[in-house]
Amino acid sequence: MEWTDEGIVLGVRRHGEGNAIVELLTRHRGRHLGMVRGGGSRRLAPVLQPGNSVSATWRARLDEHMGNYALEASVVRAGMLMEAPHAAFGFTHMAQLLHLLPERDPHEELFLTLGAILDAFSEADTAGMLVARFELAMLSELGFGLELETCAATGQRDDLIYVSPKSGRAVCREAGAPYKDRLFPLPPFLRTGTPPASEDVESALAITGHFLLVRALEPRGLGFSEARAAFLASWRRSADHQR
C-alpha cells in the first residue's frame, strides 16, 4: 500500500531510540499516524514540528497497519508559532479538537480551513476570529452545525441578532426580545464575513465554546483542555497591546 498526500503536522512522539510517530491531518485521508524512521534526528527535527505543512508519502504492507512516512516540508510555520504565544496555544487547542474526529476519516474542508488559519495566525487581532471560525467548522464536521441563516421562530432571514443556546438556531430581534437575557447575541461576521469588533469575537467564541461543550465534549466525558483558556488569555493580551 502506498499513497502521497498533503498534510499538516499535528503532533510527534519519540518511538524507540531514533524514530518518531507523526500524526498528520491529511487533505484526503483525515487524521493519520505513521512512523518516520530517523525522526528523532537533528536533520528531521525542523520538518517534524507541529503546524508545519508537509508532502507525505505513506507506505505499509496492509492498509490497517500504521505504516511509514517519508515527509518533506512545504510550509514551515514552527518559528511563527513559537514567537506568538497566542498562535502556539491556539494551534494546540485546534489540534486537540481534531481528536474528536475518527482517525482516517477524510475532512478536506477542515484541512483547508486549518491551513488558511495557520497562514494568517501570526496577527493577534484576527486570531480570535479565526479560532471561532475553526470551532464553527468543527461543529459542522461533527454533525452539530449551527443554523444561522433563518429565524427559528418565524423563518425570516432579516434582523437575526440572537442564537438559541438550546437549538443552535438564529432568532430575529422581534421574536427574541422577550427572551433576550437567555439568548446569545449573534455576531454579524459569523453570517456575513464582515470584519468583527472585539466584542463580536468574544460573543462568537462564547457560542462556539458552548456548543462544543454541550454537544461534543461533555457527552464524551470531556472538557476543553487548558490550551483554549491559555489561547484566550494570550490573544486578549496581544490584541490589547496592538490596539
Side-chain angles (χ1 to χ4, degrees), residues 99-183:
H99 284 91
L100 296 171
L101 299 171
E103 191 177 346
R104 303 190 179 190
D105 191 30
H107 294 273
E108 184 175 7
E109 287 301 317
L110 202 55
F111 168 84
L112 295 172
T113 297
L114 180 61
I117 286 173
L118 291 175
D119 287 339
F121 216 29
S122 60
E123 298 298 327
D125 57 346
T126 59
M129 174 190 69
L130 295 172
V131 169
R133 290 197 179 282
F134 182 82
E135 292 184 346
L136 194 66
M138 277 295 307
L139 284 165
S140 180
E141 294 292 325
L142 290 165
F144 304 125
L146 307 185
E147 173 50 69
L148 305 179
E149 300 304 318
T150 60
C151 175
T154 68
Q156 73 182 60
R157 293 179 173 271
D158 300 323
D159 208 19
L160 304 176
I161 65 167
Y162 302 113
V163 176
S164 166
K166 293 184 178 180
S167 68
R169 297 189 62 187
V171 181
C172 68
R173 186 186 307 272
E174 181 179 0
Y179 316 102
K180 62 181 182 180
D181 293 339
R182 287 177 275 172
L183 301 173

Side-chain angles (χ1 to χ4, degrees), residues 9 12 14 18 20 22 36 38-50 52 54 73 76 78 82:
V9 180
V12 181
R14 295 293 293 268
V22 178
V36 176
S41 68
R42 291 185 179 181
R43 180 179 65 85
L44 287 177
V47 177
L48 306 184
Q49 294 297 315
N52 285 351
V54 295
V76 175
M82 292 176 64

